[in-house]
Amino acid sequence: MRYPGYQGAVEIDAHLARRLVAGQFPRWAGLPVRPVDLDGWDNRTFRLGDELTVRLPSGDWYALQVDKEQRWLPVLAPELPLPVPTPVARGVPEHGYPYPWSVYRWLDGRPALVAGTGDATTFATDLARFLVALRQVDATGGPAPGEHNFHRGAAVSAYEDELFAAVEALGAEVPRDEVLTTWDEATATAWRDRPVWFHGDVAPGNLLVRDGRLSAVIDFGTSGVGDPACDVVIAWTALSGDARDAFRRTLDLDAATWARGRGWALWKALVSLVAALERDEDGDGHRRVVRRVLADRA
């Protein structure tokens, strides 16, 4: 997968975050800095006092997302039914750290990855309503797919070479004919409507839950305007049964977009399974996603 990481000599830790804040935003210098409970891969996030967070990109491509989020999150926020991160400051490279960075308002809630979703059907419906509202925001001038978001919102065929390589590497681990048929169906269609806003990484780690309900959506680093099929992937990674049906019904996307969503989910699961096996991990979660995608097509 094309996820280049930060290879510099500076360790991204709470000490660095504290130094950056103190040097560039003295008004917050006295606030405690501590890691969040569930950190991400593309950015390192730290709690700054009780009301703020510091978000530091971990690689060149992730750094491209800083100005995008600074520019567009204030535009998106008033149009959406749930809170999203609100940027309050933009930092610059310093102390050997080479990238721009951001300070955001803290959002209450725990990631669904660790807190669970509460009632799964309600969660799925609330999430779909959020994504529908996001699609309806005026996309004029919004960021088209590209390196800044790893081509989310473009044709899923951008990752065809990786998928084919994964199929070859996995061999009998996966049913080759079913996988390739599903992929062919995903790549046979395209988004024909106007470009719309999408999140790009709708995953349990980016969905906050409070009092058993979806309370906020975070991490818009892979967002942009284009084909929203990439936002369908959670249907197979975290939803099933009635919850998946409610998600699809509320999203109100055509069958072709749903098929492209299967393609996105299949690509990610297969390349992740290859990576897991190379690390001598079991990869059962990725196998489960593959089975769900193929069963959904059937």
Side-chain angles (χ1 to χ4, degrees):
M1 289 182 292
R2 288 173 267 183
Y3 292 95
Y6 173 50
Q7 302 297 323
V10 179
E11 184 177 357
I12 304 176
D13 57 12
H15 176 68
L16 173 63
R18 192 175 297 110
R19 293 181 69 197
L20 291 170
V21 170
Q24 298 181 35
F25 305 108
R27 63 189 181 276
W28 298 323
L31 297 177
V33 176
R34 57 191 186 277
V36 296
D37 292 337
L38 183 65
D39 207 353
W41 168 261
D42 51 354
N43 291 267
R44 302 292 179 264
T45 303
F46 302 90
R47 188 92 181 257
L48 177 61
D50 293 328
E51 299 181 357
L52 301 170
T53 61
V54 176
R55 184 168 161 89
L56 303 175
S58 64
D60 294 346
W61 281 20
Y62 307 126
L64 298 175
Q65 301 168 356
V66 171
D67 287 339
K68 174 180 66 179
E69 292 188 336
Q70 291 274 339
R71 165 70 177 87
W72 289 105
L73 281 171
V75 174
L76 296 176
E79 308 297 324
L80 299 174
L82 293 170
V84 299
T86 303
V88 296
R90 180 187 184 279
V92 297
E94 192 178 21
H95 302 305
Y97 177 73
Y99 306 125
W101 51 282
S102 297
V103 179
Y104 292 93
R105 292 289 178 197
W106 174 258
L107 291 172
D108 286 332
R110 299 179 65 213
L113 186 63
V114 294
T117 62
D119 180 79
T121 300
T122 300
F123 177 87
T125 301
D126 289 345
L127 175 58
R129 287 172 177 162
F130 176 89
L131 295 174
V132 169
L134 180 61
R135 294 203 317 259
Q136 293 173 344
V137 177
D138 183 4
T140 303
E147 289 189 351
H148 68 95
N149 71 348
F150 308 101
H151 305 283
R152 298 293 195 276
V156 67
S157 58
Y159 285 94
E160 186 158 271
D161 289 346
E162 290 187 7
L163 179 126
F164 287 163
V167 171
E168 291 302 319
L170 290 169
E173 278 276 356
V174 296
R176 177 189 177 94
D177 290 346
E178 291 180 62
V179 166
L180 295 182
T181 298
T182 302
W183 182 254
D184 286 345
E185 291 176 354
T187 57
T189 67
W191 181 251
R192 301 299 184 188
D193 207 339
R194 60 180 177 81
V196 297
W197 276 101
F198 57 86
H199 180 275
D201 191 14
V202 183
N206 294 329
L207 305 172
L208 302 187
V209 174
R210 186 176 61 193
D211 299 327
R213 293 290 297 267
L214 180 64
S215 63
V217 179
I218 62 174
D219 194 351
F220 280 70
T222 54
S223 63
V225 297
D227 179 0
C230 56
D231 280 351
V232 177
V233 171
I234 196 170
W236 302 282
T237 58
L239 303 176
S240 61
D242 291 344
R244 185 187 301 151
D245 292 343
F247 180 71
R248 182 173 187 175
R249 184 170 58 252
T250 307
L251 270 184
D252 193 28
L253 290 169
D254 61 20
T257 303
W258 193 258
R260 293 194 302 279
R262 282 197 295 260
W264 280 105
L266 191 61
W267 156 72
K268 183 66 177 292
L270 290 174
V271 297
S272 297
L273 178 56
V274 170
L277 296 177
E278 289 175 348
R279 295 191 298 266
D280 201 28
E281 299 171 357
D282 60 36
D284 283 349
H286 308 307
R287 291 187 183 91
R288 182 165 56 252
V289 173
V290 172
R291 290 195 298 269
R292 286 175 172 176
V293 168
L294 298 181
D296 184 75
R297 174 192 169 270

